[in-house]
Amino acid sequence: MEKLPHDLLGAIDALRKERNAVILAHYYQDPDIQDIADFIGDSLQLARAAQKTTADVILFCGVHFMAETAKILNPDRIVIIPDLAAGCSLADACPAPALAKMKAKLPDHKVVSYINCSAEVKALSDVICTSSNAERVIRSFPDDQPILFAPDRNLGAWLNKRTGRQMALWPGTCIVHETFSERKLIELLSRHPAAKVIAHPECEPTLLEQAHFVGSTSALLEFVKTDSASTFIVATEPGILHQMKKAAPTKELLPLPGTDENCACNECPHMRRNTLEKMYLALRDLKPRLEMSEPLRLAALAPLERMMGLG
Ligand code: 13P
Ligand code: SF4
C-alpha cells in the first residue's frame, strides 16, 4: 500500500509547480478534482486547452480517449492520466477493425466520428466532432454527401433529426446516458411541472423528445446560467451539477436518476475511477502516460485538425 501525504491537496499543488504541469478536468469529475484543476471543460474545450498549453506535463482528469486526444494534439508534452483503465463504453463499442469493415461496405460515405472513440477509429475517420460542434460539422458537408456516423447512435439519430439527413449509424451507446429513465422523468415532472428538462444528446431518443433543451455539458451549464426557469431536471452525468450550483446558486437542480434508484448508475464508472490519490501518484511518478506510435498519431491528427479548423 502506497504511503500518501497527509495533505493531499497541498502535495498535488506542490508537484504541479515542480513538474510545470497543468491539470485539466472534465465536468463529470468528482467536485474535489474539479476544484483543484487549472481548467474545467467539456471535451471540445479540454482538447483546445490541451492544444494551447505551454506546460511540460498535462495531467488529464477525464477518460482515456480525452487524454489520448490531448496527446495526439500535443505530442511534445508528457500526458498522464490518474487511471489508465478509465475508458468509455462508446469507445469500447466501436473496435477499429469492425468500423473498417463497415466503411469498406459504404465506399461513397464520409466517416464522421464522435470524439468518444479510440485513436485507431479517429484514424479511419474523415472528421471528428464533439457534442458541442456535431451539428456544425455535419452541416459542413453538402446535403447529398452520404455520411457514416460513429460510434453513438443516439447522438447520430439526434443529428439526423436536426439536419434532416439519413446518416448511417454505428450502433454504440453510452452506458450512463442510456440508463436514464423516462418513467422517473415523468414522475419528477409531475412533482415539478415548471421545471425545464435539459439533456445530453447521448440520451435515448424517447428521453430527448421530452427535453426543453439538448446540448453538450458546457451548453447545459450555460443554459442553467442564462435561462429564466428556476428548476431544472438534469439528464446527464451528475458531476456537472458542481459547476451548475456554483454558477447558479439560487436555482434548483434535480439530477435524473437511472432506472434503478438504488444504484449510482447515472454516474460514469470510468470518470469516477480518478481520485485525488491517483492524481498525486501520477504527478509524482509521471505515469501512467499516454503513448502511441507516430504513424497512428498523425493519422488520427488529420481528422481532429479538420474539426478544429471548422471553428
Ligand atoms: P461533452 O462533449 O459534453 O463533454 O460530453 C462528453 C461525454 O463523454 C459525455 O458523456
Ligand atoms: Fe463515455 Fe458515457 Fe462515460 Fe461519457 S458518460 S465518458 S460517453 S461512458
Side-chain angles (χ1 to χ4, degrees):
M1 189 67 184
E2 288 281 354
K3 191 162 167 14
L4 295 166
H6 185 61
D7 174 13
L8 212 42
L9 292 175
I12 290 172
D13 198 36
L15 278 172
R16 158 171 46 198
K17 290 184 185 118
E18 199 180 302
R19 302 288 193 202
N20 187 25
V22 66
I23 302 177
L24 307 182
H26 190 267
Y27 289 125
Y28 292 166
Q29 292 291 274
D30 286 337
D32 48 4
I33 297 181
Q34 293 189 36
D35 287 345
I36 198 175
D38 295 294
F39 184 86
I40 314 155
D42 70 11
S43 47
L44 181 61
Q45 292 168 329
L46 291 169
R48 291 223 167 96
Q51 201 177 28
K52 275 200 285 207
T53 188
T54 55
D56 296 322
V57 175
I58 300 172
L59 172 58
F60 207 115
C61 299
V63 291
H64 187 274
F65 78 82
M66 296 179 175
E68 190 173 59
T69 302
K71 185 67 184 176
I72 295 167
L73 292 169
N74 223 338
D76 298 334
R77 313 280 170 216
I78 294 173
V79 180
I80 50 177
I81 184 167
D83 190 325
L84 207 51
C88 168
S89 66
L90 278 169
D92 293 346
C94 189
L99 181 67
K101 268 193 199 156
M102 187 161 175
K103 188 177 153 163
K105 284 190 196 141
L106 301 169
D108 56 338
H109 284 52
K110 295 285 183 194
V111 179
V112 180
S113 294
Y114 187 33
I115 199 164
N116 297 37
C117 63
S118 65
E120 287 81 1
V121 164
K122 287 184 177 71
L124 289 171
S125 310
D126 292 287
V127 63
I128 305 302
C129 70
T130 76
S131 54
S132 288
N133 61 17
E135 194 173 328
R136 186 154 18 110
V137 169
I138 299 302
R139 289 191 192 281
S140 73
F141 288 97
D143 288 345
D144 58 355
Q145 170 61 57
I147 294 175
L148 165 59
F149 186 83
D152 186 1
R153 68 152 193 242
N154 289 342
L155 174 59
W158 182 73
L159 290 166
N160 275 345
K161 208 168 154 191
R162 297 279 304 173
T163 62
R165 284 184 182 261
Q166 290 188 317
M167 298 189 292
L169 306 179
W170 184 267
T173 52
C174 160
I175 46 165
V176 178
H177 288 84
E178 71 177 357
T179 195
F180 289 118
S181 150
E182 221 189 316
R183 190 171 60 80
K184 290 272 165 9
L185 178 60
I186 293 162
E187 275 169 29
L188 266 178
L189 272 173
S190 70
R191 277 186 274 131
H192 304 271
K196 284 207 174 148
V197 180
I198 60 172
H200 196 280
E202 288 173 15
C203 294
E204 293 288 324
T206 47
L207 202 126
L208 293 179
E209 273 163 27
Q210 317 271 341
H212 297 90
F213 180 73
V214 176
S216 66
T217 45
S218 58
L220 298 181
L221 175 59
E222 194 55 30
F223 189 79
V224 166
K225 270 197 239 176
T226 52
D227 189 76
S228 59
S230 54
T231 305
F232 299 86
I233 298 173
V234 184
T236 194
E237 218 275 2
I240 185 74
L241 264 67
H242 185 54
Q243 296 304 322
M244 287 178 174
K245 282 178 197 154
K246 280 190 175 178
T250 59
K251 300 199 174 170
E252 185 182 20
L253 304 167
L254 306 169
L256 185 61
T259 323
D260 178 357
E261 231 160 331
N262 301 317
C263 78
C265 40
N266 62 355
E267 288 184 3
C268 174
H270 303 291
M271 288 276 181
R272 306 290 174 143
R273 290 184 79 95
N274 295 332
T275 60
L276 290 177
E277 288 78 3
K278 291 179 191 172
M279 286 172 72
Y280 165 78
L281 293 172
L283 280 172
R284 189 192 70 183
D285 303 338
L286 291 183
K287 62 178 199 199
R289 286 188 199 197
L290 274 291
E291 308 278 13
M292 80 197 68
S293 72
E294 191 58 4
L296 174 61
R297 190 190 73 78
L298 290 174
L301 179 64
L304 264 172
E305 282 189 328
R306 256 171 242 131
M307 170 184 85
M308 296 300 207
L310 289 170

